[in-house]
Amino acid sequence: MNTLPDWLSQLRFDEHGLIPAIAQDAADGAILMVAWMNAEALAETAAGGHAVYWSRSRQRLWRKGEESGHVQHVSDLRLDCDGDVILLKVEQEGGIACHTGRRSCFFQRLETKGQPVWVSVDPILKDPEQIYK
Amino acid sequence: MNTLPDWLSQLRFDEHGLIPAIAQDAADGAILMVAWMNAEALAETAAGGHAVYWSRSRQRLWRKGEESGHVQHVSDLRLDCDGDVILLKVEQEGGIACHTGRRSCFFQRLETKGQPVWVSVDPILKDPEQIYK
């Protein structure tokens, strides 16, 4: 895109032209994942109603669910007070947002009895090999 | 800190030594704010049970509530699958997380009827001048 429309030019993208986006389950408020968007990804998300991110590892648009089928239907798009984080309220197709086959990417919990340690506490709902076959 | 303990060295801090942290209301799942932590902020948060961030604007530790009284009591600390985002489940003292006097920083909603525009949709609960007097 050349000149950004107002609603996009108001955002504070980082030095890589990216802004973090939180996907939250619209029904029960669970935080599913955090990924990155550039202006194009956000414009397509707003226009199409499905979450589109920017894959930093692949350096291309990532239409969530394009391989896994785990599309995110966006019902609400929010921006924070300083304009540098996006919040998406979504309905998660298949009930799985994480590439590990879990509902949410935030499945590691800090256990602080004794020396702190990250422990995986949420179940794998589907074998990742079945998701990305 | 010199050598980091295991649970901190597993994290993927960015090139500035920071990791984004989402504060979520532990009771109803509302997303309150996103801020940044360095290793020291996260260690203090885990040890003390109150959210401590790194203020990028002031370049110092920011013990949330130190001026406003709006302390965040942390009941759960989560890490995402690729180790680069923290999620805090908190009880928000005063019911206000945002410096604008709103409950949440995500008070701007994208209205997409016609040309998209960000609209403030959540009420100001307390005059910021009363918060930071």
Side-chain angles (χ1 to χ4, degrees):
Chain A
M1 284 182 288
N2 298 312
T3 41
L4 291 177
D6 281 354
W7 72 279
L8 283 171
S9 66
Q10 286 169 248
L11 305 191
R12 289 170 54 197
F13 294 99
D14 71 8
E15 65 270 32
H16 307 294
L18 301 175
I19 191 167
I22 307 168
Q24 180 182 35
D25 191 298
D28 71 358
I31 297 184
L32 302 175
M33 57 181 281
V34 172
W36 295 82
M37 291 182 165
N38 60 6
E40 190 181 356
L42 185 51
E44 188 173 320
T45 299
H50 301 143
V52 178
Y53 302 103
W54 176 257
S55 169
R56 292 179 300 174
S57 57
R58 290 172 287 181
Q59 289 286 303
R60 65 167 178 84
L61 286 181
W62 164 33
R63 292 175 180 88
K64 173 73 178 165
E66 61 192 9
E67 291 178 52
S68 64
H70 295 156
V71 172
Q72 295 175 334
H73 304 274
V74 179
S75 56
D76 203 11
L77 260 165
R78 295 276 184 137
L79 178 65
D80 74 341
C81 55
D82 48 4
D84 62 0
V85 184
I86 294 286
L87 168 60
L88 313 173
K89 302 207 179 184
V90 306
E91 179 197 343
Q92 176 64 63
E93 195 114 351
I96 295 174
C98 186
H99 76 287
T100 65
R102 293 176 176 88
R103 181 187 183 200
S104 164
C105 294
F106 292 90
F107 59 83
Q108 300 177 91
R109 183 181 195 278
L110 191 68
E111 301 291 349
T112 53
K113 285 171 190 136
Q115 195 71 352
V117 57
W118 298 105
V119 177
S120 293
V121 294
D122 297 334
I124 294 170
L125 302 176
K126 190 170 180 180
D127 183 343
E129 291 195 8
Q130 295 300 312
I131 299 176
Y132 299 100
K133 64 185 174 189
Chain B
M1 283 183 289
N2 298 314
T3 41
L4 292 177
D6 281 353
W7 73 279
L8 282 172
S9 65
Q10 287 170 250
L11 305 192
R12 290 169 56 198
F13 293 99
D14 71 8
E15 66 270 33
H16 308 294
L18 301 176
I19 191 167
I22 306 167
Q24 180 182 35
D25 190 297
D28 71 359
I31 298 183
L32 301 175
M33 57 181 279
V34 172
W36 295 83
M37 290 182 163
N38 61 6
E40 189 181 357
L42 185 51
E44 188 173 320
T45 299
H50 301 144
V52 178
Y53 302 102
W54 176 259
S55 169
R56 292 179 300 173
S57 57
R58 290 172 287 182
Q59 289 286 305
R60 66 168 178 82
L61 286 180
W62 165 34
R63 294 175 179 89
K64 173 72 179 166
E66 62 192 9
E67 290 178 52
S68 63
H70 296 157
V71 171
Q72 294 176 333
H73 305 274
V74 178
S75 55
D76 202 10
L77 259 166
R78 295 277 184 137
L79 178 65
D80 74 342
C81 54
D82 49 3
D84 62 0
V85 183
I86 295 286
L87 169 60
L88 314 173
K89 302 207 181 184
V90 306
E91 180 198 342
Q92 176 65 63
E93 195 115 354
I96 294 174
C98 186
H99 76 287
T100 66
R102 293 178 177 86
R103 181 187 183 198
S104 163
C105 294
F106 292 90
F107 58 83
Q108 300 176 92
R109 184 181 195 276
L110 190 67
E111 301 291 349
T112 52
K113 288 172 188 136
Q115 194 70 352
V117 56
W118 297 105
V119 178
S120 294
V121 294
D122 296 335
I124 294 170
L125 302 176
K126 190 170 180 180
D127 182 342
E129 290 196 9
Q130 296 300 312
I131 299 175
Y132 298 101
K133 65 187 173 187

